């Protein structure tokens, strides 16, 4: 079948699939990462499906299934991970990957986390977010929906959605100031880089 469709009751992703991110691992191995809300766990969860042609998808193929879900109690991602983006690791040419995701804490406040994988199948998440809301700023209510861009010949950037105290969303940008092994990243936001305040 084309697309990722409905699942039977009882499956971890029985209540839908959203926000796809596609990675071409090799010829005949296309991987689709997506999120759902796991009602049993009470958290957003990221999973993976596989395809040979990028059209017909299998959610029960080897290596598929839930990948990143609820974090530990008190963690920045206690309520799980959503709006995922999977990219080749810019710090290594070894087939490893980074997964950027919108994390939700116990109060549902959003921040951006990153996980590292040697193969795109087995993931290890970071212990802290790589980008958080800034008190008193235009994105003081939370940041999420990450879009990482490895700028050719330049500094990698992380575009993101930020929410103000009144709930209004804007688009912001942060530059990568350090790229270390296994997903060790540091970002510095552009304080005024909201899409609503860009210069003409």
């Amino acid at each position: 079948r084309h697309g990722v469709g409905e699942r039977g009751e009882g499956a971890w992703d029985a209540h839908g699939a959203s926000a796809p991110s596609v990675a071409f691992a090799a010829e005949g191995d296309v991987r689709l990462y997506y999120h759902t809300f796991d009602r049993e766990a009470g958290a957003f969860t990221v999973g993976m499906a596989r395809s040979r042609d990028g059209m017909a998808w299998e959610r029960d193929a080897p290596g598929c299934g839930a990948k990143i879900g609820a974090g530990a109690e008190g963690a920045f991602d206690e309520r799980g991970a959503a709006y995922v983006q999977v990219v080749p690791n810019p710090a290594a040419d070894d087939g490893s990957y980074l997964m950027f995701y919108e994390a939700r804490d116990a109060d549902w406040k959003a921040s951006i986390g990153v996980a590292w994988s040697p193969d795109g199948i087995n993931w290890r998440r970071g212990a802290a977010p790589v980008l958080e809301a800034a008190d008193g700023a235009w994105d003081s209510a939370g940041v999420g929906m990450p879009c990482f861009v490895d700028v050719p010949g330049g500094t990698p950037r992380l575009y993101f959605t930020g929410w103000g105290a009144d709930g209004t969303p804007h688009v912001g940008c942060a530059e990568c100031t350090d790229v270390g092994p296994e997903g060790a990243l540091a970002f510095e936001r552009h304080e005024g880089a909201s899409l609503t305040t860009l210069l003409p």
Side-chain angles (χ1 to χ4, degrees):
R1 64 185 303 171
H2 295 298
V4 178
E6 296 180 358
R7 293 273 266 183
E9 197 65 35
W12 70 272
D13 55 356
H15 301 291
S18 301
S21 175
V22 175
F24 289 81
E27 184 175 354
D29 185 7
V30 188
R31 300 171 185 177
L32 183 142
Y33 302 86
Y34 60 95
H35 81 249
T36 189
F37 188 76
D38 186 337
R39 295 182 184 178
E40 184 174 335
F44 289 102
T45 300
V46 170
M48 188 190 86
R50 291 180 110 156
S51 173
R52 295 185 181 277
D53 59 6
M55 297 294 288
W57 297 93
E58 176 56 61
R59 290 198 250 193
D60 296 317
C64 293
K67 298 299 175 183
I68 298 285
E73 184 176 355
F76 73 99
D77 55 1
E78 180 177 344
R79 293 293 186 182
Y83 297 103
V84 64
Q85 183 196 21
V86 174
V87 298
N89 185 357
D93 186 20
D94 59 0
S96 60
Y97 293 86
L98 298 181
M99 176 191 290
F100 294 87
Y101 62 92
E102 178 181 308
R104 293 282 178 159
D105 66 13
D107 296 322
W108 300 102
K109 189 170 185 177
S111 61
I112 295 174
V114 65
W116 172 85
S117 172
D119 53 12
I121 296 174
N122 302 290
W123 294 91
R124 186 175 71 222
R125 72 181 90 198
V130 294
L131 196 70
E132 298 181 84
D135 291 339
W138 61 269
D139 57 356
S140 61
V143 295
M145 299 184 182
C147 178
F148 179 82
V149 179
D150 189 12
V151 180
T155 303
R157 297 172 184 168
L158 182 65
Y159 296 91
F160 60 94
T161 297
W163 292 272
D166 63 355
T168 302
H170 304 288
V171 175
C173 176
E175 287 195 335
C176 187
T177 57
D178 184 41
V179 180
E182 300 186 5
L185 301 172
F187 289 93
E188 182 176 341
R189 64 176 9 99
H190 287 267
E191 295 301 334
S194 165
L195 186 59
T196 60
T197 59
L198 291 180
L199 296 176

